[in-house]
Amino acid sequence: MMLSITSHNLEFGRTRLDFVACGCSSNASFDRFSVRNCSKGLLRNVDGCKARKSLCHRREIGPCPVFSTKTPEVFLNEIAAGPTPVLDLTKELTKLSSISDLFEVVADDLQTLNKNLQSIVGAENPVLMSAAEQIFGAGGKRMRPALIFLVSRATAEIAGLKDLTKEHRRLAEIIEMIHTASLIHDDVLDESDLRRGKKTVHQLYGTRTAVLAGDFMFAQSSWYLANLENLEVIKLISQVIKDFASGEIKQASGLFDCDVELDKYLIKSYYKTASLIAASTKGAAIFSGVDADLIEQMYQYGKNLGLSFQIVDDILDFTQSAEQLGKPAGSDLAEGNLTAPVIFALEKETKLRNIIESEFSETGSLEEAVDIVKNCGGIERAQDLARKKAIEAIRSLQCLPSSSFKLALEQMVKFNLGRIK
């Protein structure tokens, strides 16, 4: 399977892309050339196809991809095609009991973040602050800030930094505020009663206050973002906020649409989930001051991890119990949100289309649809897709020097896949 690499000025889902072979030899040594040069920060001195060779040569990878003029839809379909390489989920994961174990190497950074989160939101409005504190206080994995800290520390060595900068830490706080604001709004749109086992903001304070609390946190994060005074990062994160809205609109306009294609699903998943993760990892690399090729690889890592994460979540909606999910199994399907397992199942079972298009009007029809998805290969094909994205994410880490931070980034990808074992 070919490795997905874009030049640093191409944005996923917004640029016309294509694969064409550049004639790179798949037998070249990756470790001898790429890691040595990347760890010394020398990729900026290698241009054209040579630069791409330094990033993607491995014995198991075919011709180096270069991009041209196909649409994002075609690009996504081509990534989804082909056999799935094997990814060993057992190595280095035996001692990990939870996601917090993955982030142990940045535990001090996360502790500082937790102390700062509530104070950074501000205290202009006690009601809005109380609403924000409700969801901050509910805990959460802090996955996005943790990824920022991991990428920051993994790239700091390359750039010659002895510690994280204040910009790295502020970026982590901004990203978590944006993520939290999106959760508050999502709970309103989804009419969810619980978030992480606690009542949602709109349940406690009403829909009006919840919407205002989310708006307030978006605005506050934008203020801190502007004060970073880095135009590239400002544009990057601002696009994420736009992507959130685009993702919700795409989802709302495509409910119960049995003609939805896999590429449209992936683009929507990018907008709703992967965009923020990709911006987090890319922004961290930007503030480390590494060159553009490495910044792009950190973007690709975040993008593919985010897509894999969303696909796994969509699989779990069918495979976990209501107690594990905190909501009934098949809830997305019941609401008309057709995810990867359903899209694959629709290709094999015509009866499923009739059930979905009826919007589950008959008693027991939702349960029947869930059974069809489980029994006709939809789950397995979605698992294959999640693995492909995971492999692409790990490949993007290859030009980082070995460190506990790089290892944790790799383990994060494997841990995510391990949720569907």
Side-chain angles (χ1 to χ4, degrees):
M1 184 181 70
M2 292 194 294
L3 168 62
S4 168
I5 301 176
T6 67
S7 73
H8 67 276
N9 62 339
L10 296 181
E11 292 295 330
F12 174 90
R14 304 185 192 96
T15 310
R16 298 172 68 83
L17 306 168
D18 186 20
F19 285 118
V20 294
C22 69
C24 303
S25 169
S26 62
N27 293 322
S29 170
F30 178 89
D31 291 332
R32 176 174 56 81
F33 186 83
S34 171
V35 175
R36 182 185 68 227
N37 284 319
C38 190
S39 64
K40 293 180 180 178
L42 296 178
L43 282 175
R44 64 173 62 89
N45 297 323
V46 187
D47 58 15
C49 191
K50 292 181 181 178
R52 296 185 187 93
K53 288 179 183 177
S54 71
L55 287 171
C56 70
H57 271 164
R58 298 190 67 165
R59 287 182 174 85
E60 73 271 25
I61 303 176
C64 175
V66 182
F67 293 94
S68 179
T69 56
K70 284 186 183 176
T71 63
E73 289 81 359
V74 173
F75 164 66
L76 288 168
N77 273 335
E78 288 178 339
I79 290 177
T84 305
V86 175
L87 182 60
D88 189 348
L89 299 180
T90 61
K91 290 183 179 179
E92 301 154 352
L93 284 176
T94 55
K95 297 181 180 179
L96 298 174
S97 59
S98 69
I99 196 170
S100 60
D101 292 337
L102 286 170
F103 302 147
E104 184 62 32
V105 290
V106 290
D108 290 343
D109 296 323
L110 289 171
Q111 187 174 4
T112 301
L113 173 99
N114 288 334
K115 291 178 181 177
N116 292 342
L117 272 176
Q118 293 186 16
S119 61
I120 198 176
V121 172
E124 289 89 344
N125 189 306
V127 175
L128 294 180
M129 269 302 298
S130 180
E133 287 173 356
Q134 166 66 14
I135 195 162
F136 278 143
K141 297 179 287 292
R142 303 281 190 254
M143 183 181 80
R144 290 150 193 85
L147 289 172
I148 290 173
F149 293 137
L150 289 172
V151 171
S152 298
R153 293 197 176 277
T155 55
E157 178 184 345
I158 297 172
L161 298 177
K162 294 182 178 179
D163 199 359
L164 300 188
T165 66
K166 66 180 186 298
E167 288 82 9
H168 282 132
R169 298 191 183 279
R170 183 49 57 89
L171 176 66
E173 294 159 357
I174 289 169
I175 289 294
E176 187 64 4
M177 278 197 293
I178 291 173
H179 176 58
T180 301
S182 72
L183 294 182
I184 295 174
H185 282 177
D186 282 351
D187 288 339
V188 172
L189 290 172
D190 298 340
E191 300 180 351
S192 301
D193 296 334
L194 295 175
R195 165 72 62 177
R196 298 166 185 156
K198 295 186 177 182
K199 287 187 176 181
T200 53
V201 172
H202 72 271
Q203 277 288 310
L204 289 172
Y205 303 100
T207 298
R208 179 182 175 84
T209 299
V211 172
L212 290 173
D215 290 347
F216 173 72
M217 294 184 70
F218 275 129
Q220 195 79 333
S221 62
S222 297
W223 167 254
Y224 284 109
L225 178 62
N227 279 279
L228 288 175
E229 297 184 347
N230 183 300
L231 183 58
E232 186 177 6
V233 174
I234 290 171
K235 291 168 69 175
L236 178 70
I237 307 302
S238 297
Q239 182 65 53
V240 169
I241 299 175
K242 177 183 175 183
D243 288 345
F244 280 153
S246 296
E248 290 295 343
I249 292 169
K250 284 181 178 294
Q251 181 167 302
S253 62
L255 296 179
F256 298 102
D257 179 11
C258 291
D259 293 318
V260 62
E261 297 175 350
L262 183 64
D263 50 11
K264 300 294 185 183
Y265 159 79
L266 288 172
I267 291 172
K268 181 196 70 175
S269 297
Y270 174 80
Y271 287 152
K272 287 175 63 66
T273 302
S275 176
L276 182 60
I277 296 175
S280 299
T281 53
K282 181 176 181 178
I286 290 171
F287 283 132
S288 288
V290 295
D291 66 39
D293 295 286
L294 185 51
I295 289 170
E296 176 61 21
Q297 289 307 296
M298 295 304 97
Y299 169 80
Q300 291 294 327
Y301 169 80
K303 179 194 79 175
N304 286 303
L305 171 61
L307 289 173
S308 182
F309 193 91
Q310 183 60 58
I311 296 164
V312 170
D313 267 358
D314 293 337
I315 292 169
L316 294 178
D317 190 52
F318 288 94
T319 60
Q320 286 193 333
S321 66
E323 291 74 19
Q324 290 172 307
L325 291 169
K327 59 182 180 179
S331 291
D332 285 339
L333 179 57
E335 294 167 2
N337 179 25
L338 308 191
T339 57
V342 181
I343 293 169
F344 287 127
L346 281 166
E347 294 177 7
K348 289 192 172 182
E349 182 54 70
T350 56
K351 185 178 181 180
L352 182 59
R353 171 184 286 269
N354 297 331
I355 296 173
I356 293 172
E357 289 180 343
S358 73
E359 299 187 13
F360 312 109
S361 57
E362 297 183 11
T363 303
S365 58
L366 175 61
E367 291 76 9
E368 184 180 4
V370 170
D371 287 340
I372 291 173
V373 172
K374 289 181 177 179
N375 294 328
C376 73
I379 301 297
E380 289 75 15
R381 290 184 64 189
Q383 289 173 340
D384 286 344
L385 182 59
R387 291 188 188 99
K388 288 177 181 177
K389 297 302 176 188
I391 290 166
E392 289 165 17
I394 286 180
R395 284 177 172 172
S396 295
L397 298 173
Q398 294 309 307
C399 62
L400 289 176
S402 296
S403 69
S404 59
F405 309 111
K406 176 185 176 182
L407 178 60
L409 291 167
E410 292 175 344
Q411 287 177 326
M412 180 65 226
V413 178
K414 296 177 182 179
F415 188 90
N416 173 56
L417 285 185
R419 296 190 295 150
I420 55 174
K421 285 179 65 177

